[in-house]
Amino acid sequence: MLDFDHLGRPVSLRHRAPYKRAISPWNDARSAFVDGTRLQARWRGRTLFSVVELGFGLGVNFLVTLDAWERDPLRPDRLVFVSIEAEPLSAADLERAHDALGLASAHCVALRERWPVATPGVHRIAFFGGAVILLLACGSVETLLPGLDAPADAFYLDGFEPALNPQMWSATVMRNLARLARPGAFAAADRGSRQVRESLAMAGFEPDSAAPTRSGQATISARFVSHRGAGQGFARTRPAMAEGPRQAIVIGAGLAGCAVSGALGARGWEVQLLESERTIAAGGSRQPVLVDHPHLSPDDNRLARLSRSALSLSRAHDLDAHEAGGAPPGPLAGAPAGAAGAAIGRLVLAADEQACERQQAALEGLRFPQSFVGHLDRERASSLAGVRLAAGGLWYPGCRAADPAIQCRDWIDRAGAAITLRTDAAVASLQRRDDRWIAFDANGSTLAQAPVVILANAGDAPRLGRQAQPGLRRLRGQSTILDPGVLAGLRTVVGADAFACPLPDGRVVVGSTFDEGDSLEPSISADHGNLSRIAQAFEPIPLPLAEALAAIAARSREGSQRGACSAPASRSGSVGYRWVCADRLPMIGALPDEAATRARLASHMRDDRIGFALHEGLYGAFAFGSRGLLWARLAAEVLGATLDGEPVPLERDLLASIDPARFLRRAVRRARL
């Protein structure tokens, strides 16, 4: 929340203190932080430079740094700015504060236009086509900083006075900064107190008095000299940044492979995309539409946090695409022909009164903004959906629906010549020779070679990656298509056990099954199950839907369980396999070398803190289950940042939860016990 003091300065209501002591803070921010960390002298000629800030506040320090980067002809190719903020303002409050401080640059406007729905976690905001990335981490410093994966060249310490905000200036916080420090990193603070100096010195920084700001404010500049007291840091145990030519092979051109290929291509990588089928978006991605599938949990568990982070990344991607000349966001049901998809929103209906109460109680405890998720009663939900519903439920306005084939093609096309697509290219084996991976077909002929390989080929990934531990399950998914008029008026995604999503031509996709099955032949019983589940979402059931359900039930009673449904007003949709892990979380990251781990099993059993050996240059993005649209964007950002040595837009515990080595680690721990 924002207020203003008698001098017109923006004030934090929590601390009852101004965000910036100067009336015109631009020059002070440049002096204290840009100059205090020797930024421009140290980033020149660099490919990547990273800043970690404690206290985003009004964004002045970021905007000053962005301005310095833009003006410097010797700037680094990429700038990543990670900033933690415990109480992020709204875009409207940012505008009020910027107006009061006379900040009216185009960058200020761009920041507010890209401002995320500030839910807990890390949010990505791109500038200059992705050359500058702001990672806004919403939460307290003491909670978020230990979990950041953000190797840094500079630190900005810009919190309220230690007397008002002691947690931010503690020795523990400074040690966590040291864990992230790259060699030669500098820290700067606009507080010159003895406590700040001593905390920095204890963490391995060598503080010195910097020149006061133009307004006379004392500052500190400190150079990082050692890791004493910092402990073994995650920044030093993450997979090494890819060295050598920026070339990669991506195996599998479904949602995962196309999203990752597009992200790497946008970063300047040369990508060879290999697909065993004749077209892209085959296999489990062969569906008429896919929708975002968020998860809400009262304890905000890892699945809930991961799906929320993926939704935020999807929104950021939509904004990036729009800036690059893509179609603006809009309802899928009204999207132009050929549009990949857009934010259409999703209603997750409560099954009964008790479920409704649990939904409301969870929202009250989590206190998320309505722009992310809110609860609607039956009347409001029905009005928004355009059809009469049986219950109210959770409303996610930012959920997307997309045609996977068009979405995959869009990701590839945006990368242009950076991606070479080859279909009918089944990879029989992979071999590492010298510093490159070579992909061979069944005849032993070379399909492609590159230093980096990313396995995005679903159930076949463990074979090529020599992974025995994931224990993937193959589940069958089938959707059902309703003709125009069966659910007339539906304008958003609705459902609980099943979902219904309107298409631009008036048809509605209902789906989908998620069960065992060995056949890709359409099943009438699956269609009957889809329509039976979705019918429970409406009260009364629309007559055309009831008639379609009755016709399918009649065919089912006749004993015709296999074969495409051709009942009036409905037909079978696509059928495909989805691959899931036991914990229903995806596999995204570097693949462990299980043979090397077995050879060192005794050491791992004695000390499970020892990191596993990794296959050099081998990564995975698979086991996406029913959340292919969400996990694809997540994989693209995580793998892109990892390969380029950038701060990753996820907390460490979330990275661990999708780490392909997690099942191997559990197996070692069980043996140890």
Side-chain angles (χ1 to χ4, degrees):
M1 296 294 291
L2 187 70
D3 200 359
F4 296 88
D5 65 11
H6 66 287
L7 297 176
R9 297 176 300 184
V11 170
S12 164
L13 288 179
R14 177 184 177 187
H15 297 294
R16 302 308 307 175
Y19 282 96
K20 293 292 182 181
R21 284 173 281 184
I23 295 294
S24 300
W26 189 270
N27 291 328
D28 276 8
R30 182 178 181 90
S31 174
F33 298 107
V34 174
D35 296 342
T37 56
R38 321 292 199 270
L39 213 64
Q40 291 177 281
R42 295 172 51 240
W43 74 18
R44 290 180 178 175
R46 297 271 295 270
T47 299
L48 169 68
F49 196 90
S50 300
V51 179
V52 170
E53 177 185 50
L54 306 187
F56 184 81
L58 309 178
V60 176
N61 300 334
F62 168 71
L63 292 167
V64 167
T65 306
L66 181 62
D67 179 74
W69 179 88
E70 183 184 25
R71 294 174 182 273
D72 190 345
L74 300 178
R75 60 181 177 256
D77 296 336
R78 301 192 309 281
L79 171 66
V80 181
F81 194 103
V82 184
S83 187
I84 301 176
E85 176 54 50
E87 297 182 345
L89 298 175
S90 66
D93 278 344
L94 275 179
E95 183 173 15
R96 292 170 61 210
H98 290 170
D99 288 345
L101 297 174
L103 303 177
S105 71
H107 295 330
C108 296
V109 176
L111 174 64
R112 298 194 297 266
E113 288 177 344
R114 292 166 172 77
W115 195 247
V117 178
T119 52
V122 183
H123 303 270
R124 174 187 176 276
I125 309 173
F127 299 83
F128 292 98
V132 178
I133 299 294
L134 168 61
L135 296 180
L136 180 67
C138 298
S140 67
V141 166
E142 56 269 28
T143 299
L144 280 177
L145 185 59
L148 281 185
D149 175 34
D153 302 290
F155 300 98
Y156 291 1
L157 313 183
D158 187 20
F160 292 97
E161 294 286 353
L164 297 175
N165 190 17
Q167 296 88 350
M168 203 198 94
W169 304 98
S170 69
T172 300
V173 166
M174 301 307 160
R175 285 196 298 271
N176 275 305
L177 293 181
R179 176 183 61 84
L180 299 175
R182 285 195 175 113
F186 267 77
D190 64 352
R191 302 287 187 268
S193 73
R194 178 180 176 182
Q195 175 187 340
V196 176
R197 290 173 178 278
E198 291 178 349
S199 295
L200 282 168
M202 289 175 61
F205 290 87
E206 193 173 75
D208 190 14
S209 295
T213 64
R214 186 169 297 186
S215 63
Q217 184 173 317
T219 63
I220 294 176
S221 176
R223 183 171 62 91
F224 183 69
V225 292
S226 77
H227 281 101
R228 60 180 182 271
Q232 177 64 34
F234 185 82
R236 274 159 285 285
T237 59
R238 75 199 311 252
M241 179 175 64
E243 301 290 346
R246 301 177 80 215
Q247 299 169 345
I249 301 168
V250 177
I251 300 176
L255 281 168
C258 291
V260 171
S261 297
L264 292 181
R267 288 170 171 270
W269 284 69
E270 297 176 25
V271 179
Q272 299 175 77
L273 178 57
L274 306 180
E275 170 55 49
S276 61
E277 301 284 347
R278 294 185 177 183
T279 63
I280 63 173
S285 298
R286 189 188 289 117
Q287 296 290 334
V289 68
L290 294 176
V291 300
D292 286 333
H293 182 28
H295 179 73
L296 189 78
S297 171
D299 62 352
D300 204 26
N301 61 23
R302 291 182 180 181
L303 176 56
R305 292 165 56 206
L306 276 169
S307 65
R308 188 168 67 241
S309 294
L311 274 175
S312 178
L313 288 170
S314 292
R315 178 183 181 274
H317 175 264
D318 285 345
L319 292 173
D320 294 347
H322 181 37
E323 183 183 57
L332 183 69
I344 184 175
R346 178 168 185 160
L347 276 164
V348 180
L349 305 182
D352 51 37
E353 195 76 27
Q354 289 73 27
C356 181
E357 292 175 359
R358 288 194 296 270
Q359 286 181 343
Q360 291 177 301
L363 286 185
E364 289 173 6
L366 295 169
R367 302 177 63 185
F368 291 147
Q370 293 277 331
S371 51
F372 171 64
V373 62
H375 192 274
L376 302 181
D377 61 24
R378 179 186 176 189
E379 293 302 320
R380 292 173 62 203
S382 298
S383 176
L384 188 147
V387 292
R388 188 68 180 167
L389 300 175
L394 300 175
W395 167 238
Y396 293 90
C399 280
R400 300 174 70 249
D403 180 319
I406 298 176
Q407 179 67 86
C408 286
R409 174 54 61 186
D410 184 63
W411 281 328
I412 293 173
D413 290 347
R414 287 188 183 281
I419 297 176
T420 300
L421 172 65
R422 186 172 177 182
T423 56
D424 280 322
V427 178
S429 63
L430 282 173
Q431 290 185 22
R432 182 81 180 180
R433 294 182 183 174
D434 298 324
D435 60 348
R436 304 179 75 79
W437 286 97
I438 304 176
F440 296 97
D441 66 13
N443 297 318
S445 300
T446 297
L447 292 170
Q449 52 183 309
V452 170
V453 170
I454 297 169
L455 301 179
N457 52 335
D460 196 36
R463 178 186 66 85
L464 287 177
R466 304 169 180 86
Q467 305 292 299
Q469 285 300 323
L472 299 186
R473 290 179 61 205
R474 187 185 71 178
L475 297 175
R476 183 181 183 278
Q478 177 177 324
S479 60
T480 305
I481 311 295
L482 298 178
D483 290 345
V486 176
L487 279 177
L490 182 66
R491 51 177 176 256
T492 189
V493 179
V494 300
D497 289 342
F499 72 85
C501 176
L503 297 179
D505 60 6
R507 295 178 302 156
V508 173
V509 175
V510 178
S512 73
T513 60
F514 199 68
D515 49 28
E516 305 286 349
D518 296 324
S519 173
L520 291 179
E521 183 182 356
S523 162
I524 292 177
S525 62
D527 289 316
H528 183 262
N530 282 337
L531 296 194
S532 296
R533 290 195 303 275
I534 199 60
Q536 299 173 28
F538 308 103
E539 180 60 45
I541 300 175
L543 181 59
L545 177 59
E547 291 173 344
L549 182 56
I552 291 179
R555 283 204 60 188
S556 181
R557 286 193 298 271
E558 293 170 1
S560 179
Q561 296 300 314
R562 292 292 178 188
C565 169
S566 58
S570 68
R571 63 180 178 83
S572 298
S574 300
V575 185
Y577 290 129
R578 297 164 176 174
W579 295 85
V580 297
C581 293
D583 58 9
R584 298 297 178 98
L585 295 177
M587 294 286 213
I588 301 173
L591 295 182
D593 186 334
E594 293 191 4
T597 299
R598 284 192 294 272
R600 301 175 57 192
L601 185 59
S603 297
H604 287 295
M605 291 177 67
R606 285 193 300 270
D607 186 353
D608 62 6
R609 294 173 299 178
I610 298 174
F612 290 151
L614 302 175
H615 285 294
E616 185 177 357
L618 187 61
Y619 298 81
F622 55 94
F624 286 7
S626 61
R627 291 184 168 87
L629 196 57
L630 280 178
W631 297 153
R633 283 304 310 163
L634 188 73
E637 293 300 331
V638 168
L639 293 178
T642 299
L643 288 169
D644 279 343
E646 295 179 5
V648 177
L650 278 183
E651 300 95 313
R652 287 168 60 194
D653 66 323
L654 295 185
L655 285 171
S657 73
I658 60 176
D659 183 0
R662 65 187 186 271
F663 292 100
L664 179 61
R665 189 175 302 281
R666 292 170 194 171
V668 169
R669 285 174 176 167
R670 284 195 297 269
R672 182 168 178 260
L673 292 173

